[in-house]
Amino acid sequence: MKYYELVAPCHMGLEAVLKREIIDLGYDITEVADGRVSFQGDADAVCRANICLRTAERVLIKIGSFTATTYEELFQGTKALPLDEFIPKDGKFWVTKASTVKSALFSPSDIQRVMKKAMVEGMKEACNTSIFPEDGEEFPIRVFLYKDEVTVALDSTGVSLHKRGYRRLESQAPIAENLAAALIMLTPWHADRILIDPFCGSGTIPIEAAMIAANIAPGVHRSFNAEKWTHLITPKNWADVRQECEEEVDLNVVTDIQGYDIDPSVIEIARINADKAGVGDLIHFQTRDVADLSHRKKYGFIITNPPYGERIGDKSNLYSLYRTLGQRYKALDDWSMYMITSFEEAQDAIGKKADKNRKIYNGMLKTYFYQYMGAKPPRRKDRTND
């Protein structure tokens, strides 16, 4: 059985959540760095990580690493990589993305050009041939340079893992699916607790919560680059993991997950997306203004991605919106609220400083995940009218 060093990139600030996911899948962590977690795994692990990880961006199979401060060192280090152990003679390969941080080599396009040439030369020697038709399956390669350490890896995923396949329709500036899942997993919410998103948009947070509640693997119904790499991972590997995931789904789980939005057309989009995800019956969507947010029960959760500067033009309107959210939250009985935003005056508008906040980079945008902790409910046997 062959083992690989696997690398899973994620949003910066969410490495701990992804690390916990990988450990829960049964794999050993080898490194945690800014924006990525590395672990050991076999062919099944490539399948399981792609299909099951909720918070990762993709799953990469590490080919090798070396130090390079000049383009000559980059060429020679790349040429020496064991590419032939991963890519067949007819494989089409290229550097689909190069990123560089605190390194002497800083031009992605030059790095891509030099490495492609070096890869061809290395494959020529390894395969004892002078011609590469590159008319077979595709093997996109991703490269990271950090403090002159070059890491080279195959992209086993393809389209980013946040693309679950259910969000065919979108509202304005929707939150990424993997980020939504990570926010939920940063809270103590469980399927038996109430969850409301008063700014649900196309439904991503409620849908991800329902998928977690029903134990639906996020990638079970989509495809991946590595499914075509049958010399590395067999169709049986994929089929076994998918079957295992399907057997663990529980659509009979009892939930109280709700999504509100002021725009009825957006609510209709959310319903369509939830049905596509297979969780339409687990979520109640409703056209409702945040000013009407209420619930008679105790110990619920608000988890939300409200509008902020990039999505709403008038700052005074934005402040008023957050102030209303704060007022409605205050009226709820022993609830918790978790909110991601880049609006700098959010806490002031809410009217209360968050118990905790966590810095998360949503792409290049710095946001904060504000966490307002409500009281813990009593043990279930002691609950009466909650």
Side-chain angles (χ1 to χ4, degrees):
M1 184 181 298
K2 186 175 179 60
Y3 280 83
Y4 303 103
E5 179 86 2
L6 304 177
V7 182
C10 64
H11 286 84
M12 285 185 62
L14 297 177
E15 297 86 0
V17 187
L18 176 56
K19 177 183 176 181
R20 187 170 72 239
E21 273 201 281
I22 294 168
I23 291 172
D24 287 346
L25 288 180
Y27 301 111
D28 294 329
I29 304 297
T30 56
E31 183 185 16
V32 178
D34 286 347
R36 64 182 187 270
V37 180
S38 301
F39 60 104
Q40 289 280 349
D42 56 9
D44 274 349
V46 177
C47 306
R48 190 166 286 110
N50 272 298
I51 291 171
C52 298
L53 290 179
R54 299 183 189 278
T55 62
E57 290 282 348
R58 57 187 69 250
V59 178
L60 309 175
I61 303 174
K62 183 176 176 180
I63 298 173
S65 60
F66 56 90
T67 300
T69 58
T70 67
Y71 284 111
E72 178 60 24
E73 290 176 344
L74 180 67
F75 182 93
Q76 295 300 334
T78 303
K79 183 180 176 183
L81 292 171
L83 289 174
D84 59 303
E85 295 180 11
F86 301 87
I87 303 173
K89 287 184 178 181
D90 64 345
K92 181 180 180 181
F93 56 92
W94 73 101
V95 179
T96 183
K97 185 176 181 179
S99 59
T100 173
V101 177
K102 299 179 182 179
S103 297
L105 305 179
F106 55 84
S107 169
S109 59
D110 288 337
I111 291 168
Q112 290 170 295
R113 176 180 52 79
V114 170
M115 292 188 72
K116 169 63 178 183
K117 184 176 180 181
M119 288 174 184
V120 171
E121 292 303 312
M123 285 288 282
K124 282 181 179 179
E125 291 184 6
C127 299
N128 194 27
T129 183
S130 60
I131 300 175
F132 280 95
E134 295 198 47
D135 56 2
E137 299 298 344
E138 297 184 344
F139 293 82
I141 293 170
R142 291 190 169 236
V143 178
F144 307 91
L145 279 77
Y146 181 69
K147 292 184 178 179
D148 302 321
E149 180 75 6
V150 184
T151 300
V152 184
L154 283 176
D155 178 8
S156 74
T157 301
V159 176
S160 173
L161 289 177
H162 82 269
K163 296 286 189 181
R164 319 294 204 208
Y166 65 75
R167 202 164 70 184
R168 299 298 176 89
L169 300 172
E170 296 183 352
S171 59
Q172 184 181 9
I175 188 171
E177 293 91 322
N178 58 345
L179 178 55
L183 299 184
I184 297 165
M185 294 166 70
L186 280 169
T187 78
W189 177 81
H190 292 286
D192 63 346
R193 305 281 295 276
I194 304 159
L195 187 156
I196 294 178
D197 180 358
F199 304 99
C200 74
S202 53
T204 308
I205 290 176
I207 291 170
E208 290 294 321
M211 292 177 70
I212 291 171
N215 204 26
I216 298 173
V220 72
H221 296 306
R222 56 158 286 176
S223 60
F224 306 96
N225 278 345
E227 288 185 75
K228 300 177 181 178
W229 304 347
T230 54
H231 62 298
L232 298 177
I233 305 166
T234 69
K236 187 177 185 303
N237 291 128
W238 293 101
D240 287 349
V241 172
R242 282 197 167 95
Q243 181 178 350
E244 172 188 304
C245 292
E246 294 281 9
E247 291 173 353
E248 294 177 355
V249 173
D250 178 14
L251 291 176
N252 294 316
V253 64
V254 178
T255 65
D256 187 350
I257 300 172
Q258 303 179 34
Y260 306 152
D261 201 281
I262 196 172
D263 186 343
S265 65
V266 168
I267 287 295
E268 185 56 33
I269 288 173
R271 290 193 180 107
I272 292 170
N273 290 339
D275 287 341
K276 181 68 178 176
V279 293
D281 292 338
L282 301 180
I283 308 170
H284 173 67
F285 288 109
Q286 184 178 0
T287 302
R288 183 187 289 195
D289 194 301
V290 66
D292 300 321
L293 173 61
S294 64
H295 203 290
R296 65 180 178 82
K297 291 188 177 182
K298 301 174 68 171
Y299 310 121
F301 284 74
I302 295 171
I303 304 178
T304 191
N305 172 42
Y308 39 89
E310 284 65 29
R311 297 190 292 164
I312 194 167
D314 192 326
K315 192 172 183 179
S316 63
N317 289 342
L318 192 62
Y319 192 94
S320 176
L321 185 73
Y322 280 74
R323 183 174 58 197
T324 301
L325 175 61
Q327 291 168 347
R328 298 317 306 154
Y329 169 61
K330 186 177 180 180
L332 295 166
D333 194 354
D334 286 327
W335 278 50
S336 300
M337 180 167 70
Y338 296 82
M339 171 184 66
I340 186 170
T341 182
S342 68
F343 181 44
E344 295 179 356
E345 299 177 42
Q347 293 181 98
D348 184 60
I350 292 292
K352 181 182 179 182
K353 185 178 180 181
D355 297 297
K356 293 182 180 179
N357 73 70
R358 188 186 194 102
K359 186 190 301 181
I360 297 171
Y361 281 88
N362 187 3
M364 298 302 294
L365 178 66
K366 181 171 68 174
T367 64
Y368 287 93
F369 189 45
Y370 294 107
Q371 303 165 58
Y372 294 87
M373 313 295 194
K376 293 182 179 180
R379 293 181 182 275
R380 178 165 292 278
K381 66 179 181 180
D382 298 326
R383 295 187 200 175
T384 54
N385 297 316
D386 65 337

